Amino acid sequence: MDHKTFLKNKSICTLPWTGFELEPNGNVKNCIISKNKLGNINQSALSDILNGEENVKLKTHMLNDSKPNNCEGCYLQEKARSDLQSISSRLYYHKEIASKIDLSMLDDAKKFELKHVDLRWTNSCNQACVYCHPDYSSKWSQELKQPVKSNNEARNKVKNFVFERITQLENVYLAGGEPMLIKENQEFLKLLKNKNPYCNIRINTNLSITSTGIFELLCSFKNVHWTVSVESVEDEYEYIRYHGSWKDFIYNLNTIKKLDHKISFNMLHFILNMNSIHDCVDLLKTMGYTDNSFIAGPLQSPNWLNILNLPEPMIQHVTTRLKQRINDGAKGYLKNSYENCLKYYATTPRTKNIGRFRQEINSMDVRRNIDSKKIFPKLFKELDAYTLE
């Protein structure tokens, strides 16, 4: 496949030929955006999964430029924009991987050569964010008494597969759980530092813990992109990111700001931060971060936190403020994020269940001995006013 053909094909993504995402429960997918799993390491060898029927079928669809349903998340993001400022994962990996491989390998749906890994070895995490669940947070698992089983033997086989090919890697994505707490990451980064020190590393972190040895290792690499999860400030931050400390977050952020590394912020927009997400953006911009540092999107799961559950006048307020932010001069990825949120709120059918929101928040407050009404007084005052009408 030549470069022109590659760019002309609006379905193709490099990942099915070059990488995979491992989830804490053992599922293997092409990437986190994928709707369907390719297999599970507790049931099949990773090499069999990557060269298996599901992945070959997906690649065949892409070669025919027929967009597979598995990847519709990226295609929907790109539909709103026709330029490369789209924030879809497909186009991101075009930039990160396509320029570093022989594109002729993409002509064959049966070929695979490891260039990228997205490793989420376990659900170990020190926060229990309101929108998360036991599969991705050990704190949630403990709170709900829902253990997530992780097969050490199966994980070790994946480690061996990746470690044997570590010099081939062009791009690494570490997430979790919280990647600073996952012991496999320390072993992986030590080997990567020794064998492939200029590999690009992207880490998705809550940036709340820096004492495990993994932080120091990351700081020693040259090509690191910190994708920091944050969506509100101060008391609201600590409620949303339960067990988190706003003071510690700011301290750690200032620490990595001194490095010659890229930093961006991964943000979700939902009922609890429908207004304070803008306060968070504004504060971070006063620290020197630009509009291209922010990627935000509407939270769709769990549904009870979705903004579309709100009374229509409140949704109108949310969308009006997003439009105002664009009119005030938002640029780049931040503008793209606001536009994607607006498109989602304008075109997605409403399935209102604000009663479920109240029920879930009340249950969470009881378990955690917190009063959300004191943290979000304006939100509940508005909700109560519309309920009484």
Side-chain angles (χ1 to χ4, degrees):
M1 182 178 294
D2 59 34
H3 187 67
K4 185 177 180 180
T5 305
F6 174 73
L7 290 178
K8 188 177 178 181
N9 186 320
K10 301 301 182 184
S11 299
I12 202 163
C13 174
T14 58
L15 286 187
W17 281 265
T18 62
F20 70 91
E21 182 231 355
L22 174 68
E23 301 194 332
N25 61 6
N27 283 343
V28 175
K29 295 163 62 178
N30 297 110
C31 78
I32 189 64
I33 304 295
S34 302
K35 292 178 69 174
N36 307 316
K37 68 178 183 179
L38 298 174
N40 188 290
I41 62 169
N42 299 318
Q43 299 157 2
S44 305
L46 179 61
S47 58
D48 292 340
I49 294 170
L50 297 176
N51 294 294
E53 182 181 349
E54 288 300 316
N55 206 26
V56 170
K57 190 189 305 180
L58 183 85
K59 288 186 275 189
T60 301
H61 278 298
M62 288 182 173
L63 287 173
N64 292 331
D65 204 358
S66 59
K67 297 178 172 60
N69 182 60
N70 182 55
C71 306
E72 70 174 9
C74 281
Y75 303 138
L76 287 171
Q77 282 183 321
E78 293 167 23
K79 194 174 181 180
R81 295 180 71 97
S82 59
D83 57 32
L84 291 180
Q85 284 298 307
S86 170
I87 54 177
S88 78
S89 290
R90 186 183 81 94
L91 293 179
Y92 170 80
Y93 289 112
H94 271 25
K95 298 174 185 176
E96 294 296 322
I97 297 175
S99 63
K100 300 170 185 175
I101 63 172
D102 181 355
L103 291 177
S104 66
M105 74 175 290
L106 304 183
D107 290 322
D108 188 345
K110 293 185 178 180
K111 283 190 176 180
F112 183 90
E113 184 176 349
L114 190 67
K115 298 292 182 182
H116 163 79
V117 289
D118 178 341
L119 299 171
R120 304 158 193 250
W121 301 101
T122 71
N123 71 338
S124 295
C125 191
N126 59 334
Q127 293 185 351
C129 301
V130 294
Y131 49 74
C132 199
H133 50 82
D135 283 352
Y136 288 99
S137 166
S138 54
K139 284 293 186 183
W140 259 113
S141 181
Q142 293 164 15
E143 184 175 320
L144 296 182
K145 297 179 174 58
Q146 295 178 9
V148 174
K149 295 181 180 179
S150 184
N151 188 314
N152 287 336
E153 183 180 352
R155 287 207 318 276
N156 283 332
K157 288 179 180 178
V158 174
K159 275 171 55 179
N160 291 336
F161 180 91
V162 172
F163 287 11
E164 287 169 5
R165 295 162 178 80
I166 203 159
T167 58
Q168 298 173 196
L169 293 177
E170 299 286 355
N171 197 73
V172 167
Y173 190 92
L174 299 178
E178 169 47 48
M180 301 284 192
L181 285 171
I182 299 173
K183 62 180 183 180
E184 284 87 352
N185 285 337
Q186 187 163 24
E187 187 178 354
F188 172 71
L189 288 170
K190 283 182 178 178
L191 186 62
L192 190 69
K193 181 69 177 177
N194 183 43
K195 299 285 188 179
N196 191 357
Y198 295 102
C199 181
N200 287 327
I201 301 171
R202 188 172 182 179
I203 180 164
N204 192 328
T205 173
N206 60 37
L207 205 60
S208 62
I209 187 164
T210 59
S211 59
T212 61
I214 296 170
F215 178 78
E216 289 81 0
L217 273 168
L218 285 163
C219 291
S220 73
F221 282 87
K222 181 180 179 181
N223 303 315
V224 179
H225 179 179
W226 300 82
T227 303
V228 180
S229 297
V230 61
E231 54 277 301
S232 191
V233 297
E234 299 180 340
D235 289 349
E236 290 193 19
Y237 168 92
E238 294 182 357
Y239 183 94
I240 290 169
R241 307 195 70 82
Y242 186 53
H243 299 297
S245 160
W246 176 250
K247 181 180 177 181
D248 289 348
F249 171 79
I250 292 296
Y251 178 85
N252 293 333
L253 181 58
N254 283 325
T255 299
I256 64 169
K257 195 170 184 289
K258 297 172 185 175
L259 304 170
D260 187 22
H261 289 168
K262 182 177 180 180
I263 301 172
S264 60
F265 301 97
N266 185 39
M267 311 177 108
L268 290 168
H269 192 215
F270 53 102
I271 291 176
L272 293 178
N273 74 334
M274 62 180 184
N275 293 313
S276 61
I277 190 172
H278 304 303
D279 300 329
C280 188
V281 168
D282 290 344
L283 184 145
L284 293 170
K285 287 179 73 172
T286 66
M287 295 172 65
Y289 297 100
T290 69
D291 287 18
N292 273 334
S293 301
F294 302 95
I295 295 180
L299 184 144
Q300 299 178 47
S301 177
N303 181 263
W304 58 271
L305 280 169
N306 192 313
I307 280 174
L308 295 179
N309 286 300
L310 293 170
E312 285 301 316
M314 293 179 72
I315 297 176
Q316 284 294 321
H317 173 76
V318 168
T319 57
T320 298
R321 190 159 186 198
L322 287 169
K323 291 174 184 176
Q324 187 61 54
R325 301 285 292 191
I326 294 171
N327 292 335
D328 287 343
K331 299 182 290 293
Y333 290 148
L334 182 60
K335 180 183 178 185
N336 190 187
S337 295
Y338 291 154
E339 290 171 342
N340 286 342
C341 287
L342 283 168
K343 185 175 179 64
Y344 175 80
Y345 298 140
T347 61
T348 306
R350 271 69 161 147
T351 54
K352 295 189 183 299
N353 191 351
I354 202 64
R356 173 79 186 280
F357 165 78
R358 289 181 180 275
Q359 179 184 354
E360 293 287 351
I361 286 292
N362 287 339
S363 296
M364 194 181 299
D365 284 358
V366 170
R367 287 198 310 271
R368 299 177 176 183
N369 193 28
I370 306 176
D371 188 351
S372 56
K373 292 180 177 60
K374 291 182 179 179
I375 308 294
F376 308 93
K378 184 178 178 182
L379 167 66
F380 284 98
K381 184 177 180 180
E382 282 191 75
L383 284 176
D384 290 343
Y386 286 113
T387 301
L388 293 172
E389 285 185 353

